[in-house]
Amino acid sequence: MIRQEFFNLEIKTNGQKLYELTEKTDNWIKESNFNNGIINLSIQHTSASLIIQENADPDVQTDLISYFDKLVPMDNKLYIHTTEGKDDMPAHIKSALTNNQISLSIKESKLLLGTWQGIYLFEHRINQQNRIIVLHYLGD
Amino acid sequence: MIRQEFFNLEIKTNGQKLYELTEKTDNWIKESNFNNGIINLSIQHTSASLIIQENADPDVQTDLISYFDKLVPMDNKLYIHTTEGKDDMPAHIKSALTNNQISLSIKESKLLLGTWQGIYLFEHRINQQNRIIVLHYLGD
Amino acid sequence: MIRQEFFNLEIKTNGQKLYELTEKTDNWIKESNFNNGIINLSIQHTSASLIIQENADPDVQTDLISYFDKLVPMDNKLYIHTTEGKDDMPAHIKSALTNNQISLSIKESKLLLGTWQGIYLFEHRINQQNRIIVLHYLGD
């Protein structure tokens, strides 16, 4: 038999940062007694994204955010889609450069992540946002 | 029981644009009566890619295309792989910067996409191309 | 019935190059007699990544590597996370710009890749590394 479950993870964000989702995802796996399967995480927005990144040195996140800000400048002169704020079009581009969706493997109730890997919501907007990430389990 | 179905989506492209695949994907889901599962979309080429992007303001697509063109210039002096045209090596790079494959979740026969999200083929070549995207359903 | 199998692919790398995984993945599929399903490949590190790229002209790989090196310079003045070497922070950024995970479809025991597509580990570190990529099959 195939087992499937869905869960909406809601994250309130306040600014361009990484928000870790690893523990929340792990908790759902434990509470649900998943054994072997895939979890598909998909963010329901196009101005924030999902990435796997190092969870050890917080400087990595600071460098990552400032790199993306230089690569995709918040400068209205560069874009024609400017009505939603100087951060909106850069947010769409950063989303295209990263991921809207990540599939993770679960073996014997454990997420198969490396020692230094964490799952993150990467927020690209400046103002507060309510973000929804759908978690979908498909396995045994 | 696990159910699996495959479908080859063929798209004729004419130039560097986004080609929306959402409706075609939705139609396949409805005709096939899929309930809960995952659709894995994989493009069978390395000079075009797949992205999830905003489907509301068309200016977003224009800005996205021109951003990628500036980020990865069509300038033969920058590359050694130039025999297939000035747009070919930039196309491979743009493909690496976006996605060759996207997995989408389906719940109760509906694609779990946000209100403003659409699925797009992102064509990076200048001339007409015939593109194949494999849609693979795995679910109940 | 749903069938699931796991396999750890171990790759020793020596420098910033692409290491092809297509044949190793194919061999696992053949030895295991997989029929229809998905293989989820996930790299257990955040300073190397996974990409699908052209397997024909080796110049494409050379151009790709040098493009990413220009886009994300190994220059300690640009980053605060510098203790692990001048190539470490750029490696994390290149990983965020590409993929940590790829899902591939298998139909009738064949990977659904285009004629010119290969699966690659993209190593972003300079020194020798031991990399683990988890292959997870879910299908019939």
Side-chain angles (χ1 to χ4, degrees):
Chain A
M1 260 302 288
I2 187 175
R3 181 180 172 196
Q4 295 192 69
E5 304 285 346
F6 296 88
F7 179 64
N8 277 15
L9 199 55
E10 295 183 33
I11 309 283
K12 285 184 193 300
T13 64
N14 59 339
Q16 299 180 318
K17 271 177 274 181
L18 299 192
Y19 299 82
E20 189 156 12
L21 311 176
T22 322
E23 200 183 333
K24 289 185 177 73
T25 306
D26 257 337
N27 289 345
W28 187 54
I29 294 169
K30 274 172 200 130
E31 289 162 13
S32 311
N33 286 311
F34 297 143
N35 183 27
N36 294 329
I38 282 174
I39 290 193
N40 190 43
L41 294 90
S42 51
I43 190 162
Q44 304 292 297
H45 315 273
T46 60
S47 56
S49 50
L50 298 173
I51 58 168
I52 306 284
Q53 261 300 326
E54 184 182 292
N55 58 9
D57 179 1
D59 286 349
V60 169
Q61 300 182 21
T62 309
D63 279 338
L64 196 74
I65 294 159
S66 73
Y67 176 85
F68 273 89
D69 267 344
K70 269 181 241 156
L71 189 67
V72 193
M74 286 192 283
D75 176 352
N76 271 345
K77 291 192 298 296
L78 299 171
Y79 313 106
I80 52 176
H81 172 83
T82 56
T83 48
E84 294 180 57
K86 65 172 182 175
D87 57 329
D88 191 59
M89 192 57 224
H92 291 302
I93 294 170
K94 290 172 187 173
S95 161
L97 287 168
T98 52
N99 311 290
N100 287 78
Q101 165 275 322
I102 291 176
S103 288
L104 298 171
S105 293
I106 301 170
K107 185 183 178 184
E108 294 167 10
S109 309
K110 275 187 190 152
L111 265 178
L112 296 182
L113 289 174
T115 316
W116 312 111
Q117 287 186 317
I119 316 164
Y120 294 91
L121 161 63
F122 193 174
E123 177 59 71
H124 307 303
R125 299 299 310 265
I126 289 171
N127 294 328
Q128 291 197 339
Q129 304 285 337
N130 293 316
R131 300 304 195 176
I132 294 173
I133 299 128
V134 177
L135 274 56
H136 172 197
Y137 175 80
L138 190 153
D140 57 16
Chain B
M1 262 301 288
I2 187 175
R3 181 181 173 196
Q4 295 191 68
E5 304 285 345
F6 296 88
F7 179 64
N8 277 15
L9 199 54
E10 295 183 32
I11 309 283
K12 285 183 194 300
T13 64
N14 59 339
Q16 300 181 316
K17 270 175 276 180
L18 299 192
Y19 299 82
E20 189 156 12
L21 311 176
T22 321
E23 200 183 333
K24 289 185 176 75
T25 306
D26 257 338
N27 289 345
W28 187 55
I29 294 169
K30 274 174 200 128
E31 288 162 14
S32 311
N33 286 312
F34 296 143
N35 183 27
N36 294 328
I38 282 175
I39 289 193
N40 191 43
L41 294 90
S42 50
I43 191 162
Q44 304 293 297
H45 314 273
T46 60
S47 56
S49 51
L50 297 174
I51 58 168
I52 306 284
Q53 262 300 327
E54 184 181 294
N55 59 9
D57 179 1
D59 286 349
V60 169
Q61 299 183 21
T62 308
D63 279 338
L64 196 75
I65 294 159
S66 72
Y67 176 84
F68 272 89
D69 267 345
K70 270 180 240 156
L71 188 67
V72 194
M74 287 192 282
D75 176 352
N76 272 344
K77 292 192 297 296
L78 299 171
Y79 314 106
I80 52 176
H81 172 82
T82 55
T83 48
E84 293 179 58
K86 66 172 181 175
D87 57 328
D88 192 59
M89 192 57 224
H92 291 302
I93 294 169
K94 289 172 188 172
S95 161
L97 287 167
T98 50
N99 311 290
N100 287 78
Q101 165 275 321
I102 291 175
S103 289
L104 299 171
S105 293
I106 301 171
K107 185 182 179 184
E108 294 168 10
S109 308
K110 275 187 190 150
L111 265 178
L112 296 182
L113 289 174
T115 317
W116 312 110
Q117 287 186 316
I119 315 164
Y120 294 90
L121 161 62
F122 193 174
E123 177 59 71
H124 306 303
R125 298 300 311 266
I126 288 170
N127 295 329
Q128 291 197 338
Q129 304 285 337
N130 293 315
R131 301 303 195 178
I132 294 174
I133 299 128
V134 177
L135 274 56
H136 172 197
Y137 174 81
L138 190 153
D140 57 17
Chain C
M1 262 301 289
I2 187 175
R3 181 181 172 195
Q4 295 191 69
E5 305 285 347
F6 296 88
F7 179 64
N8 276 16
L9 199 55
E10 295 183 33
I11 309 281
K12 285 184 193 302
T13 64
N14 59 339
Q16 299 180 319
K17 271 176 276 181
L18 299 192
Y19 299 82
E20 189 157 13
L21 311 176
T22 322
E23 200 182 333
K24 289 184 176 72
T25 307
D26 257 338
N27 288 346
W28 187 54
I29 294 169
K30 274 172 200 130
E31 288 163 14
S32 312
N33 285 314
F34 297 143
N35 183 27
N36 294 329
I38 281 175
I39 289 192
N40 190 42
L41 294 90
S42 50
I43 191 162
Q44 303 293 298
H45 315 272
T46 60
S47 56
S49 51
L50 298 173
I51 58 168
I52 305 284
Q53 261 300 326
E54 183 181 296
N55 59 8
D57 180 2
D59 287 349
V60 169
Q61 300 183 21
T62 309
D63 280 338
L64 197 75
I65 294 159
S66 73
Y67 176 85
F68 273 88
D69 268 344
K70 269 180 240 155
L71 188 66
V72 193
M74 286 192 283
D75 176 351
N76 271 345
K77 292 192 297 298
L78 299 172
Y79 313 106
I80 53 176
H81 172 82
T82 55
T83 48
E84 294 180 56
K86 66 173 181 175
D87 56 328
D88 191 60
M89 192 57 224
H92 291 303
I93 295 169
K94 289 172 188 173
S95 162
L97 287 167
T98 51
N99 311 291
N100 287 78
Q101 165 275 322
I102 291 176
S103 289
L104 298 172
S105 294
I106 301 171
K107 186 183 178 185
E108 294 168 10
S109 309
K110 276 188 189 149
L111 265 178
L112 296 183
L113 289 174
T115 317
W116 311 111
Q117 286 186 317
I119 315 164
Y120 295 91
L121 161 62
F122 193 174
E123 177 59 72
H124 306 305
R125 298 302 308 266
I126 288 171
N127 294 329
Q128 292 196 338
Q129 304 285 337
N130 293 316
R131 300 304 195 176
I132 294 173
I133 299 127
V134 177
L135 273 56
H136 172 197
Y137 174 80
L138 190 154
D140 58 18

